[in-house]
Amino acid sequence: AIGNLDDDDELEAVVSGYSSSNQLFVVNHDGSDVDGFPFVLDEKTKAGVALADYDENGKDDIVLATDDGHIYLIYDNASIAPGFPYQTGGKIQTAPSILDVDGDKVIFSGSLDSNFYAINADGSLRFIVEANNMIKTSPSFLTHNGNDYIFFGANDSLIYAVDTNGDALSGWPVNADAPIAKSIVFSDLDCDNEPE
């Protein structure tokens, strides 16, 4: 991911990896490390990170998930936020997503334990949605009729849509007749001013 994690005017690259002694790197535009990084994570991360300013200091903070089933919030100063990591029941092998819900930054992530997690900024659980099989997609967001919805797919061939309280959108989940392996995207395909 690309974001602003230090005091200069340039953006930084944030990357982690899939080695057993994995580190979290934050790299300046000139290839040098940002102060405090690399951060020794010692957990494998199979997918990307999400960035948002949680501590309201004008710099992005890092959210990532691991094969150990942890969801981390790591501040721009390379410290782990209070209440984190959040422990899920299985490996997480997709990037988490962050949505501002009524002024709170909520983390959303699916797990191979067949659960979809919504985690508050203090590390507490907001809700869990139970799927029928592993979740291998990053969450996608859609604002429709003034409400925010979170979409994700699972290996049970279902596409799920829930609101910010975890309640299913009417008519969902929808069966796609094949395991869902990639994230959901939206477009007005029939030009009726409604997303498909």
Side-chain angles (χ1 to χ4, degrees), residues 1-195:
I2 304 293
N4 177 30
L5 286 93
D6 62 14
D7 292 319
D8 62 32
D9 293 331
E10 305 292 340
L11 298 178
E12 289 73 46
V14 183
V15 64
S16 192
Y18 205 64
S19 66
S20 58
S21 59
N22 186 38
Q23 299 179 63
L24 173 64
F25 294 90
V26 180
V27 182
N28 287 303
H29 70 285
D30 62 3
S32 63
D33 293 323
V34 170
D35 287 344
F37 293 93
F39 176 87
V40 178
L41 190 60
D42 282 335
E43 294 184 44
K44 295 179 178 181
T45 56
K46 193 168 188 178
V49 304
L51 302 177
D53 183 6
Y54 275 85
D55 55 5
E56 298 180 350
N57 67 352
K59 301 174 193 173
D60 289 321
D61 303 304
I62 304 163
V63 174
L64 58 81
T66 73
D67 257 10
D68 289 349
H70 290 129
I71 298 173
Y72 282 91
L73 170 54
I74 301 172
Y75 290 138
D76 57 88
N77 65 3
S79 65
I80 298 174
F84 288 89
Y86 181 87
Q87 177 70 59
T88 68
K91 294 181 179 183
I92 301 174
Q93 296 190 329
T94 60
S97 298
I98 302 168
L99 179 66
D100 189 302
V101 179
D102 299 324
D104 295 322
K105 294 175 181 67
V106 180
I107 301 165
F108 297 92
S109 186
S111 172
L112 299 190
D113 70 358
S114 305
N115 289 314
F116 181 77
Y117 296 86
I119 310 299
N120 294 311
D122 63 1
S124 64
L125 179 67
R126 185 179 183 93
F127 65 78
I128 292 178
V129 175
E130 188 175 338
N132 299 313
N133 208 319
M134 298 180 291
I135 300 169
K136 295 184 174 181
T137 63
S138 291
S140 303
F141 305 128
L142 174 69
T143 301
H144 183 65
N145 292 333
N147 296 310
D148 292 321
Y149 296 99
I150 303 100
F151 288 75
F152 64 95
N155 272 20
D156 59 7
S157 302
L158 297 178
I159 300 172
Y160 295 79
V162 298
D163 64 17
T164 55
N165 295 314
D167 298 319
L169 180 61
S170 179
W172 296 80
V174 172
N175 193 329
D177 294 323
I180 311 301
K182 300 295 179 186
S183 297
I184 312 303
V185 295
F186 311 96
S187 182
D188 180 9
L189 297 173
D190 57 7
C191 300
D192 65 353
N193 295 317
E194 295 288 338

